[in-house]
Every structure is written in structure tokens, then in C-alpha cells.
Amino acid sequence: MLLVSQVLEAMNAAADGQPALSILEQAFMMEPPAHAITASKAPVALAYQRLKAFALKRGRRFLFESSVMDGVPIFSLLRQLPGVKVKRFVGVLNSTTNLVLTRMRRENCSLWDAVAFAQQEGIAERDPSDDLDGKDAATKLAVLSAAIFGCQVNPAEIPADSIRNVTLEQVHDVAARGHTLKVVCEATLAE
């Protein structure tokens, strides 16, 4: 008899979290239940509390470290510091937009040339729309808010701006004032 102790889900889930969400739920329903590990953002953003409760009820772990921040161990750190109460976080959450804007400034190239470079390097997806339009960053913000604040936020309800129309001239104007153009995300826990 084959016993599965953990299920790793690493597909590109749709905006509704499927089929990744169903796979993770199935891991907890197995007999015996398995630990559920995901690299997908959407199921964590949309169902973090439910999956966490399911894992706790079945005596298993729900892990999602690689779902945001390119695997920076933020969630492991927070689990190791249980007394810490985070009330606000700010940061650059999308590698594609960060690379594109940096490349535009440093290489004096257009947004689309910078996107092509990011795709060549394996950073940007074939269709970079979610990155460029802020949807990826909004989903990561929802994941972080769920895990850090315990607040379930629908990524579609998070205001997001697109960088599609950012010009090289705008990048240089910002640089001339001593600043760097970045897509910065922020969340604050409401008291």
C-alpha cells in the first residue's frame, strides 16, 4: 500500500484558485491526511483561513512559502516569532515589474524591450499582463494580508495600477529628481 505523506501543488492556478485549491483540500481529506504544500498564490489569497483550519483539524501542515516574494522565508520567520504583531508592511512584491523598470532606467530601453529581456531571462511569463497590470502584486498582497493579519481580502478588490504606459521619459524624469520608479505595495492592519 502506498502512503502519501505530503502533496506538493505547483501549477499556475486560475484567478479562482482552481484546480490548485481542490488539490490542496484533497490532500487533507486523504486517509491518512497529507501535508499540503503550494507554490500558487490564488488558493492562499482566497482560502487561507479555510486551508489553515483544515490542516489544523487534520493534524497536518499547510505550507506556502514559495507563493510570494520568490521564496523569501517570510512565513517561516513569522511562525518562529509568535509574539510579533505586524501592523503594517510595505515592499516591492513583483519581480517582473521591478526588473522591467530597473532595466528601462539602466539600459535606456523601452518598456516592451525590458519585458522581452525579462521573458528571455525567465522572470516574466509569456503573457506578462498580470504582472504589468498589478494583478500579481495584488494577489501577493492578499496572501500576505491573510497570513500576517489574518484578514481575507479578495485580490480583485485591491486597487492596482498598470505600468503598461510608463515611458522611458517618465523613468528618466523620476531619476533626475533623485528617485527610482518602483511598484510598491502596502497594507496596514485596521485597528
Side-chain angles (χ1 to χ4, degrees):
M1 172 186 237
L2 176 66
L3 291 179
V4 176
S5 64
Q6 50 200 335
V7 172
L8 169 63
E9 178 285 311
M11 58 184 53
N12 194 3
D16 66 356
Q18 296 299 343
L21 185 53
S22 294
I23 292 168
L24 296 167
E25 290 171 334
Q26 287 295 319
F28 296 128
M29 290 190 278
M30 296 170 66
E31 287 301 335
H35 300 290
I37 306 161
T38 185
S40 299
K41 296 176 287 291
V44 184
L46 298 170
Y48 171 76
Q49 295 297 340
R50 186 170 83 224
L51 291 168
K52 181 181 171 187
F54 212 164
L56 188 61
K57 178 181 175 185
R58 300 290 282 164
R60 292 296 178 255
R61 297 187 72 192
F62 171 49
L63 302 171
F64 48 92
E65 199 75 62
S66 63
S67 64
V68 299
M69 297 179 59
D70 296 326
V72 172
I74 186 71
F75 304 117
S76 295
L77 175 66
L78 290 172
R79 280 192 298 272
Q80 293 175 26
L81 302 170
V84 171
K85 178 75 171 169
V86 177
K87 295 184 179 185
R88 179 175 181 254
F89 61 86
V90 179
V92 174
L93 299 181
N94 185 276
S95 297
T96 298
T97 57
N98 195 43
L99 175 60
V100 165
L101 294 170
T102 299
R103 181 124 179 123
M104 287 175 71
R105 181 176 45 84
R106 289 186 183 162
E107 302 298 324
N108 202 36
C109 66
S110 73
L111 181 129
W112 295 108
D113 286 343
V115 167
F117 174 80
Q119 289 170 324
Q120 266 182 295
E121 295 298 307
I123 303 296
E125 296 179 38
R126 185 177 302 149
D127 178 2
S129 296
D130 284 354
D131 295 318
L132 299 179
D133 295 332
K135 291 177 184 175
D136 178 77
T139 303
K140 290 175 181 174
L141 199 62
V143 168
L144 290 164
S145 294
I148 294 171
F149 300 148
C151 300
Q152 205 71 50
V153 181
N154 185 331
E157 296 174 6
I158 296 174
D161 291 323
S162 178
I163 67 163
R164 283 181 189 272
N165 297 320
V166 171
T167 65
L168 189 55
E169 182 180 357
Q170 290 170 317
V171 171
H172 288 310
D173 285 348
V174 169
R177 292 192 303 264
H179 300 287
T180 304
L181 196 56
K182 299 280 182 190
V183 176
V184 179
C185 300
E186 176 181 4
T188 303
L189 181 62
E191 300 276 337

